[in-house]
Amino acid sequence: MARKTSLSGFPEWLPEERLVELHVLDVLRETFELHGFSSIETRAVETVGQLLRKGEIDKEVYVVSRLQEDEDAPADRGDDRLALHFDLTVPFARYVVENGGHLTFPFRRYQIQKVWRGERPQEGRSREFTQADIDVVGDGALPFRYDVELALVMIDALSRLPLPPFVLRVNNRKLAEGFYRGIGLQDSAGVLRNIDKLEKIGRERVAQALCDEVGATPEQADAALQLASIRTEDTSFVDKVRALGVNTQLLEEGLRELEEVVAEASRRAPGRVVADLSIARGLDYYTGTVYETVLLGHEQLGSVCSGGRYESLATTGRKTYPGVGLSVGVTRLVSRMLSQGMAAPSRQVPTAVLVSLVDEESWSQAQDVAEQLRARGIACEVSASAAKFGKQIRYAERRGIPFVWFTARAEDGTLVHEVKDIRSGEQVRADPAAWAPPAEDLRPVVAARAEA
């Protein structure tokens, strides 16, 4: 982050830093809408019982209580207590069940909101942060083609941001589980839990853990690690997996699905997608495709975008809603962009033009000019007092406003308008009904810095 905050884990941006975050949010929103996703927003709270359906995460949940509780409220409300949501998937699943009769399936949704987790703050992890999710959910069934499309949408979105090169790493739960069963390991969750530690503790310690904790033989552990070592930018991973000599129906299904994702993505975005069979995080609850995204050169930050397929994202008991989705850690991404100088606003404020005052009586006239500029999308503000022009220009410099507008009355009574670029000193005649700044000055566009 650009600086420390007084309350650990709850970042607050300065105005110019907020411009970077807004740029990221605007790009994501615009890209998602270009691909046909509709925006929704869910409430900030869910019941504890609803949140805990995802697993044992009770230590991460912020429970909400009123200072003045009702006197007749039960002392232990249990699962009926309210808590802040820790992700956007659980609220979305509830939203689908409650509103299924009003939605058109497959339902394409994006959601950008704050979430809260009570975990230890560190780089890339906050207690309050913003996520941007996209999902496609079906009623009863969801074609696999959406798994391919979601990868392409997210590649498009991230490619529009001022980021270093990134890689979307993809794996498949069916592939991994089918392989483990084929070599005689039935505790797939246990194998995945240990494979997930591969980058942290290394091959030898993972092999030993597989033998000690999962009951694998040295040969089985070696086979599981050989699978995890496969990583390709094209579909050649299929032959590498088959060369290991394992053949199960579930493995073949996973291979076909992963091949479809990688084949299309590598054709449309070469080098952006990698079949990485070491990915294990998330495979315990995703049922098919699993995605993780890392910034090259910033791998220690962890995944900035992850997701996968749920065959049962939500269910009513009679109906099942399968889904596939991806989530961008916006706060994690913006924190790294700011701290590493990946991006910076072209100015500190949205204002492009300061309309100056020649005297105190000209304030209403200056507002007329500002109104014409704003009508054409040019952000501007009017000086609060008719100080000397030099002082008004210095105010614009401190604010980072690039242009100052001057209005005077000629001898024949007509109004004369001029605008000055205070960076270059150039001052020219201008018509408030027609003048516009250069495109790069129209908005405080976030520009990638040379060192990024």
Side-chain angles (χ1 to χ4, degrees), residues 235-269:
T235 58
S236 61
F237 72 90
V238 176
D239 291 336
K240 292 179 182 292
V241 172
R242 288 178 175 153
L244 297 178
V246 178
N247 185 15
T248 67
Q249 183 177 347
L250 189 62
L251 169 62
E252 286 300 316
E253 186 176 345
L255 276 174
R256 287 195 303 271
E257 290 183 353
L258 187 57
E259 182 180 25
E260 187 174 342
V261 174
V262 175
E264 186 65 17
S266 61
R267 185 176 77 84
R268 295 189 176 277

Side-chain angles (χ1 to χ4, degrees), residues 16 20 23-24 161-163 334 336-346 445-452:
E16 57 268 32
V20 175
H23 177 75
V24 171
L161 295 173
L163 295 172
V334 172
R336 179 52 63 104
M337 291 169 72
L338 292 172
S339 66
Q340 300 297 311
M342 296 177 187
S346 58
V445 179
V446 175
R449 293 182 178 172
E451 63 266 31

Side-chain angles (χ1 to χ4, degrees), residues 33-348:
E33 291 182 358
L34 281 173
H35 287 269
F37 288 80
S38 299
S39 175
I40 70 164
E41 183 171 286
T42 57
R43 63 198 185 207
V45 296
E46 301 288 338
T47 65
V48 170
Q50 183 74 25
L51 291 174
L52 293 183
R53 290 182 181 182
K54 190 173 182 180
E56 297 298 327
I57 45 76
D58 54 299
K59 293 182 180 180
E60 297 183 2
V61 172
Y62 280 105
V63 176
V64 177
S65 63
R66 293 167 50 204
L67 290 176
Q68 302 296 330
E69 289 283 7
D70 296 333
E71 293 183 1
D72 57 351
D76 183 12
R77 293 169 54 194
D79 285 357
D80 290 333
R81 292 175 299 166
L82 297 181
L84 296 172
H85 56 226
F86 59 85
D87 73 357
L88 300 180
T89 303
V90 173
F92 178 52
R94 174 194 55 76
Y95 179 94
V96 168
V97 169
E98 293 181 358
N99 297 282
H102 304 283
L103 303 176
T104 301
F105 294 96
F107 178 50
R108 304 164 71 91
R109 149 274 199 185
Y110 80 88
Q111 187 172 350
I112 302 176
Q113 281 184 244
K114 294 276 191 181
V115 298
W116 296 267
R117 293 182 189 175
E119 55 188 13
R120 183 173 65 87
Q122 53 186 300
E123 184 180 17
R125 292 187 180 273
S126 300
R127 291 176 171 173
E128 179 184 65
F129 54 98
T130 300
Q131 285 189 182
D133 285 19
I134 54 171
D135 286 84
V136 181
V137 60
D139 182 355
L142 185 69
F144 180 76
R145 188 157 289 166
Y146 287 111
D147 293 50
V148 184
E149 183 180 357
L150 264 289
L152 297 175
V153 173
M154 196 54 71
I155 290 170
D156 186 18
L158 296 179
S159 296
R160 295 168 186 255
L161 295 173
L163 295 172
F166 64 87
V167 170
L168 183 66
R169 303 160 62 195
V170 195
N171 198 0
N172 189 287
R173 166 69 182 263
K174 298 174 185 177
L175 189 163
E177 187 170 340
F179 184 89
Y180 301 149
R181 290 181 184 178
I183 60 175
L185 295 176
Q186 301 303 317
D187 184 6
S188 298
V191 179
L192 292 169
R193 187 170 54 250
N194 284 286
I195 293 295
D196 188 40
K197 303 174 185 177
L198 191 56
E199 291 184 359
K200 294 182 179 179
I201 66 176
R203 182 185 176 93
E204 290 186 8
R205 291 177 63 185
V206 169
Q208 188 61 51
L210 288 172
C211 296
D212 295 342
E213 299 177 19
V214 186
T217 66
E219 292 75 20
Q220 289 172 323
D222 181 65
L225 287 167
Q226 285 187 58
L227 180 74
S229 69
I230 296 174
R231 178 186 172 104
T232 69
E233 293 185 2
D234 54 26
T235 58
S236 61
F237 72 90
V238 176
D239 291 336
K240 292 179 182 292
V241 172
R242 288 178 175 153
L244 297 178
V246 178
N247 185 15
T248 67
Q249 183 177 347
L250 189 62
L251 169 62
E252 286 300 316
E253 186 176 345
L255 276 174
R256 287 195 303 271
E257 290 183 353
L258 187 57
E259 182 180 25
E260 187 174 342
V261 174
V262 175
E264 186 65 17
S266 61
R267 185 176 77 84
R268 295 189 176 277
R272 293 295 199 192
V273 172
V274 170
D276 188 340
L277 306 194
S278 71
I279 293 177
R281 186 176 294 112
L283 284 177
D284 55 339
Y285 48 86
Y286 291 124
T287 57
T289 308
V290 180
Y291 316 90
E292 280 192 1
T293 311
V294 294
L295 303 179
L296 299 182
H298 303 266
E299 288 82 0
Q300 75 280 6
L301 184 64
S303 178
V304 297
C305 171
S306 59
R309 171 175 280 249
Y310 293 93
E311 284 306 330
S312 181
L313 172 71
T315 181
T316 64
R318 292 182 301 171
K319 277 189 175 184
T320 298
Y321 298 95
V324 59
L326 280 154
S327 177
V328 179
V330 174
T331 302
R332 173 179 290 193
L333 204 56
V334 172
S335 296
R336 179 52 63 104
M337 291 169 72
L338 292 172
S339 66
Q340 300 297 311
M342 296 177 187
S346 58
R347 57 180 182 269
Q348 298 175 352

Side-chain angles (χ1 to χ4, degrees), residues 367-411:
Q367 289 289 351
D368 293 339
V369 172
E371 187 174 306
Q372 292 182 77
L373 295 175
R374 291 181 188 130
R376 291 180 290 107
I378 303 170
C380 58
E381 57 187 85
V382 176
S383 286
S385 63
K388 292 182 178 179
F389 283 142
K391 189 172 183 179
Q392 294 185 65
I393 291 172
R394 286 193 294 275
Y395 169 82
E397 289 176 333
R398 290 196 304 273
R399 294 267 290 160
I401 301 171
F403 297 95
V404 177
W405 194 281
F406 301 99
T407 301
R409 192 169 295 278
E411 292 183 1

